[in-house]
Amino acid sequence: MRPVVPRVLLGVRRSVAPSKCLVPRHHALTTQRQGLLSTCRAFSATARRRERAPESATEIAAAEEGEEEEERKWSTPLAKQLARAIQATGPVPLASFMRMCLTADIGGYYTGAIEDGRDQFGLKGDFVTSPEISQVFGELIGVWFVTEWLAQGRQGKGVELIEVGPGRGTLMDDILRTIHSFPAMANSIDAIYMVEASPKLRVAQRNLLCGDDASWTESKVGYHSVCKYGSIPIVWTDTIKSIPIAPEKMPLIIAHEFFDALPIHAFQCVSVPATQDDPPLETDKSSPSTRTTQPTLQWREFLVSPSPPGSTHASLNTPPSQSRATPPPDFQLTLAQAPTRHSLYLPESSPRYRALRSRVGDGALLEICPDAALYASDFAARIGGSAQHPKQKPSGAALILDYGPGDGSIPTNSLRGIRLHERVSPFAEPGLTDLSADVDFEGVAEAAVRASEGVELHGPVDQGTFLEVMGIRQRVETLIQAAKQRGDGSGAGGDEFARNIEMAWERLVDRGPGGMGKVYKAMAILPEGEGKRKPVGFGGDVVN
């Protein structure tokens, strides 16, 4: 039987902007900036020191040399800082570039403030997401968590709701409103955790979930307030590692359009000629990858460096579809001429990656997201326990909704940029451009089961299939009938509202080329049950 959908009669969120079916986004990223951010800050401090008047001929000459360096006009302040950092360190991995573009505090897409009043979401922003298209999406996610709570024994306390990358809080608001219709479950929730790196988005989430200008307090864990649904404590953290792990807790985790913007490393397999005629001596301490007597296949990493001064879209081979809305890219990809520490380790970290090199050989491409494995491992450890955090009885669930190949293939050439609802070069206007890449669902599953013996994976399945099984059609029919009875009481004025509701849900389940129902996928991490029970939406039914 299908789950009972709560009949919360609220209107659809109207939007005609393109969704990010092919160009998804990310709401919050890990705040690890590592060495590149330190270098950016060092250069920023140096620039401030240079602003004072020169006092000697040497300083005058240095200032003139600096003026020559400053002749190039960078598209954003972040682009300028990145270029200076790369000039000092050399080309950087693609993952480092993505991390800085999205979360740098000197103008990152989610954490900076280059444009006052900028909003990434909605018609005036860069993209529209499923929760913004229709309230029904979030309601069905709430129903899914209710069904898991029922199936796992109706735990009376210790339930935790955790969202990574919460955006404006729209999805969590719909989930909480739905769960509030099931008092027994609502009363079992101890706390809500929102993993969000952006200060501005945290404020927007607090205003929506707790009330306009609600007060909050700060602790070592994060920021604390009280949710308007049942006065449940709600905590904002920069990273999921700040959320305590306890064996008695039942974590219910949602990751919607989160994994797609975690930084990726990109590699290409190349044929490397033999470097020496004789076998290496035992005293040879050089890397095995650099002392070969036969041609070998090796991975080389794609690195990011500034594009040449005076570059154009044509000289950088920017696709025509990505060159209409932005200036020429400030940066470009280059292939490392020698192994890097990432190319020596990451492509060897999974049998799938190693098989790609032997199967495809020279020219094979590969994208790897280490952060995705870290988050998947964390989810699994919270649900199923681990050596570091033993859990006598696995409990909880994680639902991942994002986009990428669902056939087990490894993503390649998938890095995308989006600005004002259009595809743009991911290397143009850093800090103003959203970046995302395909999610390797098979890699996520592999990391989860490797992290905990107490979990099992379900999916991925197409979003359209998932929502249909969850009862989206029945829920929409209820909303449409209610809409038609509005207006003057005879249905006048409600027909247009009803059509908007219908258009929205059709968009969510559209299985046409590029449709959200086909491109987006759903995957679940559940307690290990030897495959005896499938969750709702993945071939299973409601367990009462």
Side-chain angles (χ1 to χ4, degrees):
M1 76 185 227
R2 286 182 172 146
V4 177
V5 183
R7 299 177 181 270
V8 184
L9 297 180
L10 293 179
V12 67
R13 299 186 181 91
R14 298 182 60 183
S15 171
V16 295
S19 69
K20 296 190 63 182
C21 299
L22 298 180
V23 222
R25 64 98 180 90
H26 168 53
H27 306 305
L29 292 172
T30 175
T31 55
Q32 302 170 7
R33 272 82 169 189
Q34 302 175 344
L36 187 57
L37 178 55
S38 299
T39 306
C40 286
R41 286 173 172 163
F43 270 104
S44 181
T46 302
R48 287 194 296 271
R49 290 196 296 271
R50 286 179 176 173
E51 289 176 357
R52 63 184 176 86
E55 299 176 355
S56 66
T58 302
E59 287 186 87
I60 292 174
E64 291 175 347
E65 181 180 352
E67 289 176 359
E68 292 178 0
E69 294 176 356
E70 294 298 321
E71 288 181 359
R72 178 167 181 178
K73 300 297 182 182
W74 300 96
S75 62
T76 65
L78 180 57
K80 181 179 177 180
Q81 295 293 334
L82 283 169
R84 286 184 169 187
I86 292 173
Q87 184 179 13
T89 64
V92 297
L94 179 56
S96 299
F97 175 79
M98 289 183 65
R99 195 184 306 278
M100 291 299 298
C101 287
L102 293 169
T103 61
D105 52 13
I106 53 175
Y109 183 75
Y110 287 103
T111 53
I114 295 178
E115 294 177 304
D116 291 336
R118 181 188 68 192
D119 190 346
Q120 296 93 341
F121 314 101
L123 293 173
K124 296 181 180 180
D126 293 325
F127 47 78
V128 177
T129 63
S130 295
E132 305 289 338
I133 291 173
S134 173
Q135 69 175 62
V136 179
F137 181 85
E139 290 173 355
L140 295 182
I141 302 303
V143 170
W144 190 85
F145 282 125
V146 171
T147 64
E148 276 306 306
W149 176 78
L150 291 171
Q152 295 183 38
R154 304 169 183 247
Q155 186 164 319
K157 61 180 181 178
V159 175
E160 298 175 329
L161 288 180
I162 301 173
E163 183 175 6
V164 290
R168 290 191 292 200
T170 305
L171 177 58
M172 181 57 75
D173 187 57
D174 290 336
I175 291 173
L176 288 171
R177 190 185 66 252
T178 302
I179 291 177
H180 196 63
S181 300
F182 298 85
M185 180 181 177
N187 293 334
S188 72
I189 300 175
D190 286 355
I192 302 162
Y193 291 94
M194 308 284 277
V195 181
E196 177 59 72
S198 168
K200 283 191 172 183
L201 289 176
R202 283 199 295 263
V203 172
Q205 295 156 15
R206 180 200 62 184
N207 291 345
L208 178 62
L209 299 175
C210 305
D212 291 342
D213 301 320
S215 62
W216 54 11
T217 59
E218 186 177 1
S219 72
K220 293 181 179 180
V221 176
Y223 297 89
H224 303 252
S225 191
V226 178
C227 178
K228 64 185 180 184
Y229 296 103
S231 299
I232 303 171
I234 182 168
V235 185
W236 284 264
T237 68
D238 285 336
T239 170
I240 198 169
K241 295 299 181 184
S242 299
I243 303 175
I245 299 179
E248 71 276 8
K249 298 297 184 181
M250 180 182 188
L252 301 177
I253 306 168
I254 177 66
H256 175 250
E257 291 199 49
F258 175 78
F259 281 87
D260 63 83
L262 294 176
I264 62 169
H265 291 267
F267 306 93
Q268 181 174 327
C269 186
V270 300
S271 179
V272 179
T275 57
Q276 57 189 52
D277 296 329
D278 300 321
L281 302 174
E282 292 184 2
T283 55
D284 188 351
K285 301 300 183 182
S286 61
S287 170
S289 63
T290 63
R291 45 182 171 86
T292 60
T293 58
Q294 298 290 331
T296 58
L297 291 172
Q298 297 181 9
W299 291 103
R300 293 287 186 265
E301 185 169 12
F302 282 102
L303 305 175
V304 177
S305 60
S307 56
S311 294
T312 64
H313 283 298
S315 67
L316 295 173
N317 296 317
T318 307
S321 61
Q322 300 178 21
S323 61
R324 296 188 299 266
T326 62
D330 298 285
F331 299 91
Q332 62 181 356
L333 276 182
T334 58
L335 192 64
Q337 298 301 303
T340 63
R341 62 189 181 94
H342 297 113
S343 69
L344 291 173
Y345 166 70
L346 289 177
E348 299 299 320
S349 62
S350 168
R352 298 169 64 234
Y353 306 151
R354 295 193 293 270
L356 182 66
R357 179 177 61 182
S358 59
R359 185 176 70 252
V360 179
D362 190 15
L365 297 173
L366 173 63
E367 291 175 359
I368 301 176
C369 181
D371 283 8
L374 292 176
Y375 275 96
S377 298
D378 183 279
F379 295 174
R382 291 176 186 275
I383 296 167
S386 65
Q388 185 178 0
H389 300 283
K391 191 170 185 176
Q392 185 175 2
K393 182 181 179 182
S395 65
L399 184 61
I400 300 167
L401 293 116
D402 224 309
Y403 97 115
D407 57 2
S409 60
I410 302 170
T412 60
N413 279 332
S414 72
L415 180 65
R416 294 165 172 84
I418 187 170
R419 179 157 163 71
L420 299 176
H421 305 283
E422 291 191 19
R423 280 284 298 275
V424 299
S425 168
F427 303 105
E429 299 185 301
L432 296 180
T433 301
D434 183 32
L435 303 178
S436 63
D438 285 9
V439 176
D440 180 5
F441 284 100
E442 185 73 17
V444 169
E446 187 178 74
V449 296
R450 185 169 59 239
S452 175
E453 295 181 353
V455 299
E456 63 184 25
L457 275 292
H458 296 268
V461 299
D462 292 348
Q463 174 175 289
T465 301
F466 175 79
L467 294 177
E468 289 274 15
V469 175
M470 287 301 302
I472 189 170
R473 186 183 300 273
Q474 292 82 355
R475 173 61 175 148
V476 167
E477 288 175 354
T478 299
L479 289 175
I480 288 175
Q481 289 208 335
K484 288 182 178 180
Q485 295 175 8
R486 296 181 183 181
D488 60 6
S490 63
D495 289 342
E496 181 181 356
F497 189 58
R499 282 194 297 270
N500 289 331
I501 295 175
E502 188 169 9
M503 289 172 60
W505 88 269
E506 287 177 348
R507 188 176 177 186
L508 292 176
V509 300
D510 178 16
R511 296 183 179 85
M516 298 184 76
K518 181 178 181 181
V519 174
Y520 283 90
K521 307 292 191 301
M523 172 178 276
I525 305 176
L526 297 182
E528 167 62 39
E530 299 180 351
K532 295 179 180 179
R533 179 183 71 86
K534 292 183 178 181
V536 179
F538 297 86
D541 211 331
V542 177
V543 177
N544 294 318

